[in-house]
Amino acid sequence: MTAPAVDLRSDTVTRPTAGMRAAMAAAEVGDDVYAEDPTVTALQERVAGMLGFEAGLFVPSGSLGNQLGIRLLVPPGYELVCDTVAHVARAELGAAAVFSGITFRTWQAVGGRLDAEAVRALVAPDAGPYLVSTAAIAIENTHNFGGGVVQPPEQVAAVRALAAEHGLKLHLDGARLWNAHVASGLALRELAAGFDTVSVCLSKGLGAPVGSVLVSSADRIAQARVWRKRYGAGMRQVGILAAAGLYALDHHVQRLADDHARARRLAAALGGDPDAAPTNIVVLDVADAATVAAKAAAEGVLVSALGPRFLRLVTHLDVDDAGIDRAIEVLRPLVAAR
Ligand SMILES: *Cc1c(COP(=O)(O)O)cnc(C)c1O
């Protein structure tokens, strides 16, 4: 048997651990469309509490969490502003336009980093009868295409103040908010404070097979529940999946620090600046990303080519120190050839 691949394409590729599978097998379940699944209810309450919100809703994907959040904040014909490479704008296949009648305008975020002045220059809260008015601002923390950057707290605070000043709503795409929490030492509640809706993923670094949670006020979550059903994502005995999420919250949050240390080590070995990999994502600028990815794959190291020169490597639960050593051994000569 050949050695298993070192899969650095994404932190979504993790498989449930033995402990997680045992928790799933033992989960108490009920019909969650009737709100009768005790494990789902426990997960929703737990995540809402951790983030400092009244209520939560378990959804099958982070994309749906984002889409339910922003549709509650932005009426049809209004705009959501976010950065040019935000997941909501770039990686959800136009869902906000298709399902909610929402348009976007975007600011340029250097390295994914939030700059409140760029947001201020863009928003048009009450644009009059001829221009599209802004209803909400979306921020991503950590920033995926920004290489896992943790948003500077003072910039987030400035955007919060801007939103309050103009009566704009705020959505947080917190797919990797856990990573921001562990890397910065800031409490989850602090990172989520002031947002109207927050979506967090259980299926990224936390290692659950499926699932995200949207948190907000009780009233908004009641509306999100209706929209979730309307979108066809009302799920039945789904406590079996929520149990994986609860297990991940118990066992896989603090260990994200290991992923962050491994990403730093990878970045230092391959690119030079470990500070450019503050959490679990390493971005490399190479001459020909597709060729590097193909050659590495032939040697059992999988990485993502996300643009002609843009390689992304993500550390996670299923890559240990030996895997990082192997990745460095394979990638170093390929990256050096640029
Ligand atoms: C992964 C991700 C999502 C959600 O992705 P799904 O694949 O729909 O679960 C949302 N935002 C960011 C920043 C992500 O990285």
Side-chain angles (χ1 to χ4, degrees), residues 107-108 114-123 154-155 158-159 162:
W107 69 82
Q108 194 87 37
L114 182 62
D115 170 7
E117 282 314 305
V119 185
R120 180 179 290 281
L122 188 65
V123 294
E154 70 285 356
Q155 296 299 323
V159 170
L162 175 70

Side-chain angles (χ1 to χ4, degrees), residues 12 60-64 66 87 92 140 142 144 173 175-176 201 203-204 212:
T12 58
S61 71
S63 297
L64 187 58
N66 281 337
H87 197 280
E92 295 177 15
E140 195 170 305
T142 67
N144 181 356
D173 179 351
R176 295 187 182 81
C201 287
S203 58
K204 302 278 170 82
S212 287

Side-chain angles (χ1 to χ4, degrees), residues 305-330:
L306 290 180
R309 301 182 55 97
F310 180 34
L311 272 192
R312 192 186 69 162
L313 289 61
V314 188
T315 58
H316 54 75
L317 197 57
D318 288 2
V319 177
D320 59 11
D321 286 325
I324 298 296
D325 290 341
R326 176 69 185 144
I328 290 171
E329 184 185 328
V330 167

